[in-house]
Structure formats: structure tokens, C-alpha cells
Amino acid sequence: MSRAAPRSLSSALGDLTEALAPATTLARVQQAWEQAVGAVIAQAGRPTAERDGVVTVTCADAVWAAELDLMGSELVGRLNETLGAQLVVRLRCRTG
């Protein structure tokens, strides 16, 4: 009888993190945010709320809020593609 090689800690923790993560749309969007929008945009704004597919993004300042508003439909498309489902309908950008 052969014994399986031990799993790496990062692999085990990754599986545990996925199992414990909330299954809400907001949690899924927050998890996929940086991958979908890129590091620069992810630093400028972050998803803070979701209701009926409308994701509220709190931005570092008004200029970023306006910029993300203009990019809204493109970012929604990227998010939904990353999520693998049509969960986001619109972004609502604000400063905070």
C-alpha cells in the first residue's frame, strides 16, 4: 500500500479558504475584483456593498469615482467573465 505525498500548506489553506468563504455575490466580487480590474483600479476603489446586482465601489477620491463610472460597463463585463456568471448588472461608484 503506497502512501500519498503530503499536500503543501498553501494548497490546503487555499481549499480551506474557499470552503469558509461566504457565498454572497459581494464576497465573490471582492474575491475576483483585482483579477478582473487590475491592480491600479483595485487600489483606487473596492467593492463595499451589493444589492440586486448593483455593486457599490468605494473609491479613493472623486476623480477615481468618475473614472470608474465611465468605465462601468467594461468593468461589469470583466467582472462577470471572471466570476463565470452574470452576477453584476451595474457599478455604483462613490467616494468614501
Side-chain angles (χ1 to χ4, degrees), residues 24-31 33 45-59 79 87-94:
T24 65
T25 299
L26 177 60
R28 291 183 65 192
V29 168
Q30 288 171 330
Q31 187 175 25
W33 181 249
R46 60 188 172 81
T48 54
E50 183 274 334
R51 183 175 183 151
D52 298 328
V54 177
V55 174
T56 300
V57 178
T58 302
C59 299
L79 272 169
L87 300 175
V88 180
V89 236
R90 185 170 74 82
L91 296 182
R92 178 180 164 261
C93 302
R94 66 180 194 88

Side-chain angles (χ1 to χ4, degrees), residues 2-38:
S2 67
R3 188 174 193 171
R7 291 176 46 189
S8 70
L9 182 59
S10 63
S11 173
L13 288 178
D15 293 345
L16 179 62
T17 301
E18 285 181 29
L20 295 176
T24 65
T25 299
L26 177 60
R28 291 183 65 192
V29 168
Q30 288 171 330
Q31 187 175 25
W33 181 249
E34 186 171 353
Q35 180 184 351
V37 302

